[in-house]
C-alpha cells in the first residue's frame, strides 16, 4: 500500500518569516505522525531558508516514523547526513533563486560525482533516493549510479490539465513500471493535493508520496493532524 511522507518545510517557513522559535516544525512532526504520516520529510537547504540544522537533529531524536532528509549533493550535506544518519536521503537539485525544487536531478550529467557521493552515504547505512523527472534515461542512470529509490517529479502532472495531464500520468505510470523492473523502489511527489493525488496513489507499486504544501495549507483551516489524516485516507482508499 502507498504510504505518506509529510514534508514540514512550510512550518519552518512561517517561523523563519520572523526568525523566532514558533511554530516549531519538530512539534508539528508529532501532529503529522498522529494524523498517520509514515515518514517526515525535511529539506535542509544550503541557504537555510526554512529548516535549520537544529530541526533535523531534534527530529531524528523525536520522531517515531522515518526521517527523509532532502538535500543537495554537496560536501557540507554529506558531512551532516553522516552525523545525522537519517533513514534515507533524497538527493535534489538546488538553486538559490528558486522558490521550490523546480526540476528533477540531472543524474546523467553528474554520473561520476553522484556515484561516489551515493557510495559514501551507503557506507553509513543510509538509503539514497534520486528526485528525477519521469524519463527512462534518468531512471536507467539512477540505477547505474546505485540509488536504492527514485522519487518521480509530479510537478508537471500537477500543473497540467485535461489530455495533457492524462499523458503525463501515463509517463509516470510507465516510469514506475520501468524502475520497478530494474529493482528500484519508486516514490513520487511535488504539487500533489487533495484533488490530484488519487491517480498517483493508485499506480501499481507506488511506494510513498511526499506531500508538503497542500497539507500544510489545509492545516491552517482544519489543523495538521486532520489535514494529514484526510490525505492519508485519500491515498489508502484505492
Ligand atoms: N518532493 C521533493 C523532492 C520536494 O522538493 C518537495 C518540495 O519541497 C516535495 C516532494 C513536496 O512538494 P509539495 O510541497 O509541492 O507537496
Amino acid at each position: 500500500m502507498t504510504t505518506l511522507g509529510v514534508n514540514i518545510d512550510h512550518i519552518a517557513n512561517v517561523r523563519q518569516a520572523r526568525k523566532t522559535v514558533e511554530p516549531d516544525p519538530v512539534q508539528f512532526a508529532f501532529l503529522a505522525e498522529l494524523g498517520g504520516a509514515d515518514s517526515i520529510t525535511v529539506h535542509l537547504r544550503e541557504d537555510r531558508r526554512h529548516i535549520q540544522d537544529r530541526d533535523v537533529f531534534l527530529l531524528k531524536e523525536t520522531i517515531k516514523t522515518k526521517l527523509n532528509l532532502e538535500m543537495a549533493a554537496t560536501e557540507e550535506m554529506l558531512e551532516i547526513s553522516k552525523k545525522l544518519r537519517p533513514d534515507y536521503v533524497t538527493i535534489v537539485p538546488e538553486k538559490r533563486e528558486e522558490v521550490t525544487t523546480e526540476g528533477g536531478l540531472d543524474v546523467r550529467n553528474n554520473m561520476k560525482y553522484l556515484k561516489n557521493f551515493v557510495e559514501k552515504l551507503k557506507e553509513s547505512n543510509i538509503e539514497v533516493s534520486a528526485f528525477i523527472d519521469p524519463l527512462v534515461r534518468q531512471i536507467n542512470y539512477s540505477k547505474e549510479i546505485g540509488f536504492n529509490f527514485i522519487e518521480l517529479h509530479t510537478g508537471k502532472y500537477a500543473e497540467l490539465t485535461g489530455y495533457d495531464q492524462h499523458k503525463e500520468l501515463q509517463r509516470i505510470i510507465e516510469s514506475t513500471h520501468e524502475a520497478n523492473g530494474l529493482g528500484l523502489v519508486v516514490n513520487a511527489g511535488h504539487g500533489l493535493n487533495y484533488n490530484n493525488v488519487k491517480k498517483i496513489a493508485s499506480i501499481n507499486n507506488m511506494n510513498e508520496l511526499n506531500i508538503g504544501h497542500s497539507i500544510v495549507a489545509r492545516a491552517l483551516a482544519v489543523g495538521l493532524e486532520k489535514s494529514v489524516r484526510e490525505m492519508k485516507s485519500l491515498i489508502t482508499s484505492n
Side-chain angles (χ1 to χ4, degrees):
M1 188 176 286
T2 307
T3 57
L4 171 63
V6 176
N7 180 316
I8 54 171
D9 293 350
H10 284 313
I11 310 281
N13 262 328
V14 176
R15 178 188 61 193
Q16 295 313 114
R18 287 290 175 93
K19 296 206 167 25
T20 174
V21 295
E22 63 181 6
D24 187 343
V26 179
Q27 291 173 346
F28 280 85
F30 175 73
L31 290 177
E33 288 184 329
L34 271 184
D38 298 287
S39 67
I40 300 294
T41 301
V42 281
H43 184 176
L44 185 65
R45 296 185 79 106
E46 184 201 10
D47 63 9
R48 308 298 199 270
R49 71 172 71 156
H50 41 54
I51 292 294
Q52 306 295 306
D53 298 53
R54 161 265 185 212
D55 300 331
V56 296
F57 284 95
L58 271 177
L59 284 168
K60 166 73 187 187
E61 268 183 52
T62 54
I63 66 172
K64 290 166 197 68
T65 55
K66 287 183 178 171
L67 181 61
N68 171 21
L69 179 68
E70 271 180 31
M71 60 180 220
T74 63
E75 288 305 312
E76 183 202 12
M77 289 301 151
L78 180 64
E79 287 317 305
I80 291 174
S81 49
K82 285 201 304 202
K83 263 191 233 139
L84 178 69
R85 291 176 174 259
D87 296 281
Y88 54 105
V89 154
T90 302
I91 308 282
V92 297
E94 199 174 295
K95 287 193 225 127
R96 268 188 180 252
E97 63 275 18
E98 69 193 358
V99 177
T100 180
T101 317
E102 282 168 357
L105 191 67
D106 186 359
V107 285
R108 184 187 182 186
N109 287 325
N110 294 293
M111 289 276 290
K112 205 168 158 212
Y113 179 81
L114 284 173
K115 214 170 198 169
N116 190 26
F117 198 87
V118 168
E119 234 162 64
K120 286 184 187 155
L121 285 168
K122 284 174 145 183
E123 278 164 15
S124 297
N125 283 329
I126 301 166
E127 294 194 291
V128 199
S129 179
F131 183 53
I132 56 169
D133 292 324
L135 296 170
V136 171
R137 64 171 185 279
Q138 295 291 352
I139 293 166
N140 288 334
Y141 288 120
S142 297
K143 172 71 184 172
E144 206 176 319
I145 286 168
F147 284 103
N148 310 94
F149 297 76
I150 54 166
E151 180 176 334
L152 295 174
H153 196 319
T154 50
K156 211 174 229 174
Y157 161 80
E159 273 172 22
L160 294 168
T161 54
Y163 182 62
D164 291 336
Q165 187 182 52
H166 173 75
K167 271 200 314 200
E168 182 64 14
L169 176 65
Q170 294 313 309
R171 209 153 72 99
I172 295 169
I173 293 171
E174 281 157 25
S175 297
T176 305
H177 185 69
E178 189 81 26
N180 282 160
L182 295 173
L184 289 163
V185 178
V186 180
N187 298 333
H190 216 284
L192 296 178
N193 61 37
Y194 296 83
N195 296 319
N196 65 20
V197 76
K198 267 186 104 60
K199 285 187 178 149
I200 300 290
S202 56
I203 295 173
N204 253 348
N205 291 325
M206 180 54 73
N207 179 55
E208 184 157 273
L209 301 182
N210 277 310
I211 309 179
H213 186 85
S214 62
I215 290 178
V216 175
R218 187 157 176 79
L220 293 177
V222 303
L224 189 67
E225 184 185 339
K226 188 152 187 261
S227 68
V228 171
R229 199 176 297 289
E230 289 173 355
M231 184 60 84
K232 175 91 179 212
S233 148
L234 282 174
I235 288 177
T236 52
S237 63
N238 285 303

